[in-house]
Amino acid sequence: KNEVEQSPQNLTAQEGEFITINCSYSVGISALHWLQQHPGGGIVSLFMLSSGKKKHGRLIATINIQEKHSSLHITASHPRDSAVYICAVRSQGNNRLAFGKGNQVVVIP
Amino acid sequence: NAGVTQTPKFQVLKTGQSMTLQCAQDMNHNSMYWYRQDPGMGLRLIYYSASEGTTDKGEVPNGYNVSRLNKREFSLRLESAAPSQTSVYFCASSLNRVNYGYTFGSGTRLTVV
């Protein structure tokens, strides 16, 4: 079993819809990262969380340390949000990241 | 501020050829990483360097070597390329602190034929 599991693997939404994607992990962590990768593009860091909730523009990331679960919400989705969203965790006592396989999000105009 | 710069962006190699992927960062980060990204799989760590002068193997080091030339530069070498090394390679850097983010390069798409 992978340390990091993301769901759903693929998601298609209409422009304007509220989107939620999820990340579950099996180890104790010191931090969780949400990354964004556009088709054929590089990887951009969106959030780093160790507790609670963070918001940046239309993106909101939450984490529940007890349940080992994080969600990334996209409000008022737009076609430019179409990308792969990657969850990565930094295990306690380790300076390396373990990555999920990503959530492919497509927003249709 | 360039961040993390990788070269080349694309490369086609024949089986058995060698090449070096270059990575440089200008953020004074002490840790640098090389990952490969394959379809249907998460990013996998090839090698990392926690600080200048040190390198360590990651999950998938076979067939690769690295050099941490100085604090800024971390190169990845394929001595004898194989088709299984066809992948997209990403370099990343970070301060070696728990609550610090990572900066990724734009990637190198390598095809070995």
Side-chain angles (χ1 to χ4, degrees):
Chain A
K1 188 176 186 296
N2 289 339
E3 287 182 54
V4 182
E5 298 282 352
Q6 294 186 242
S7 63
Q9 190 174 352
N10 297 286
L11 183 154
T12 300
Q14 290 290 135
E15 183 173 355
E17 287 185 341
F18 181 84
I19 292 171
T20 296
I21 53 181
N22 300 293
C23 174
S24 297
Y25 52 92
S26 57
V27 297
I29 67 167
S30 55
L32 181 144
H33 299 253
W34 279 103
L35 311 168
Q36 182 190 55
Q37 185 176 26
H38 282 104
I43 297 170
V44 174
S45 179
L46 296 176
F47 294 103
M48 182 182 57
L49 296 160
S50 54
S51 64
K53 176 179 172 178
K54 287 189 175 180
K55 184 176 189 292
H56 182 70
R58 296 178 294 103
L59 301 179
I60 303 167
T62 63
I63 188 168
N64 185 318
I65 295 293
Q66 288 74 27
E67 294 187 2
K68 294 186 168 62
H69 181 269
S70 175
S71 293
L72 179 66
H73 307 284
I74 305 174
T75 62
S77 59
H78 189 276
R80 65 176 173 265
D81 297 325
S82 298
V84 175
Y85 293 84
I86 301 169
C87 175
V89 300
R90 181 170 176 159
S91 303
Q92 289 170 342
N94 190 332
N95 66 351
R96 294 182 275 174
L97 294 178
F99 294 83
K101 295 180 181 180
N103 306 92
Q104 172 79 62
V105 172
V106 175
V107 181
I108 299 171
Chain B
N1 191 349
V4 177
T5 303
Q6 279 184 245
T7 56
K9 291 192 182 303
F10 300 94
Q11 184 72 48
V12 178
L13 289 178
K14 293 183 178 178
T15 298
Q17 286 186 317
S18 62
M19 79 162 295
T20 299
L21 281 65
Q22 307 286 354
C23 176
Q25 52 91 10
D26 61 2
M27 297 168 288
N28 206 34
H29 287 169
N30 47 4
S31 296
M32 297 186 73
Y33 309 83
W34 276 106
Y35 297 96
R36 59 179 290 173
Q37 185 179 43
D38 300 295
M41 305 187 75
L43 285 153
R44 291 182 293 169
L45 182 65
I46 305 170
Y47 270 93
Y48 70 102
S49 171
S51 61
E52 185 179 354
T54 69
T55 60
D56 285 287
K57 294 178 180 179
E59 301 169 67
V60 288
N62 291 343
Y64 305 95
N65 285 301
V66 291
S67 296
R68 184 74 182 266
L69 304 169
N70 47 55
K71 192 169 187 179
R72 290 187 63 247
E73 297 173 286
F74 188 39
S75 62
L76 178 71
R77 182 158 179 85
L78 287 70
E79 289 291 351
S80 179
S84 60
Q85 293 178 305
T86 293
S87 188
V88 181
Y89 291 85
F90 287 96
C91 177
S93 70
S94 178
L95 284 179
N96 193 8
R97 294 179 194 163
V98 169
N99 290 325
Y100 197 87
Y102 288 66
T103 302
F104 288 82
S106 57
T108 297
R109 188 171 294 273
L110 175 67
T111 302
V112 183
V113 297

